[in-house]
Amino acid sequence: MIRFLVRRLALLLLGLLVASLVIFLVLRVLPGDVAHVIGGTNATPEQVARIRTALGLDHSLPSQYLHWLGGLLRLDLGESLLTDQAVGAALADRNSVTVPLTILSFVIAALIASTLGVYSGLRHDRPAGVVISFVSQALAAVPALWLGLLLIIVLGNGVGLLGVLPSNGFPTTAGVHRWRRCGRCCCRR
């Protein structure tokens, strides 16, 4: 059993390494140069060269990959090119919203799915069981992103047809402090 787990863990690590290498190489061969984008259309070749040096883009691809992989192993994800904020800090900030939403959605989905699954299983030969089975199969075939957008359109407050659920963001304490500091009428929504 331990050999099986070690083999599976080794395959997982190898898969992650190969996936990271493929993603790294695909991002490098895409057309365009991030140094030109950062420098803008009026950047001189010297400015672009300084940006490439600052970002480490003047090194060989294996050197860039090993530097990136080393940072990843140290949990240093680098800095965002758009916001100059540490990527790890930005992810941690977003997780304060993502984790509770994920847990809540999992609990709700598990409760609904298990209840309807048991009911459908007990009534598999009746119309209600057949309808529940059909609807669950149809919903499983719909892409989650499309279904989410459709539910926002139908159920969202302010934009939705029914307007029964909030669709304008997740409340955080940062928003409360910002409202208290600002005090303008447009921030009181």
Side-chain angles (χ1 to χ4, degrees):
M1 182 65 166
I2 292 176
R3 267 185 28 204
F4 173 77
L5 290 176
V6 168
R7 218 174 29 231
R8 288 294 181 173
L9 183 62
L11 284 173
L12 172 71
L13 293 175
L14 180 65
L16 288 174
L17 184 67
V18 169
S20 72
L21 182 62
V22 168
I23 291 169
F24 180 84
L25 291 175
V26 166
L27 288 175
R28 292 303 187 258
V29 298
L30 287 175
D33 185 9
V34 71
H36 284 287
V37 173
I38 292 173
T41 56
N42 296 327
T44 65
E46 294 81 22
Q47 291 171 328
V48 172
R50 278 196 300 267
I51 293 171
R52 290 184 62 75
T53 302
L55 295 176
L57 298 175
D58 56 345
H59 300 293
S60 66
L61 281 180
S63 174
Q64 289 179 38
Y65 177 72
L66 290 175
H67 177 69
W68 175 80
L69 189 61
L72 187 63
L73 292 175
R74 291 187 312 272
L75 300 178
D76 177 15
L77 302 177
E79 292 183 0
S80 168
L81 296 175
L82 297 175
T83 64
D84 290 330
Q85 180 185 12
V87 172
L91 287 175
D93 185 40
R94 300 315 189 275
N95 277 337
S96 68
V97 173
T98 302
V99 170
L101 285 175
T102 303
I103 292 171
L104 180 64
S105 65
F106 177 77
V107 168
I108 291 172
L111 288 173
I112 292 173
S114 60
T115 304
L116 290 178
V118 168
Y119 182 80
S120 175
L122 292 174
R123 307 275 190 235
H124 65 87
D125 54 345
R126 298 219 169 94
V130 173
V131 168
I132 291 173
S133 294
F134 175 77
V135 170
S136 67
Q137 291 295 321
L139 288 176
V142 174
L145 179 64
W146 185 82
L147 181 62
L149 291 174
L150 185 64
L151 288 174
I152 288 172
I153 291 170
V154 173
L155 301 174
N157 186 8
V159 295
L161 300 174
L162 300 178
V164 294
L165 295 176
S167 62
N168 56 352
F170 191 84
T172 62
T173 56
V176 171
H177 296 303
R178 193 176 329 124
W179 176 78
R180 288 183 186 153
R181 275 194 311 243
C182 175
R184 291 183 288 169
C185 63
C186 62
C187 297
R188 290 188 188 148
R189 289 188 227 173

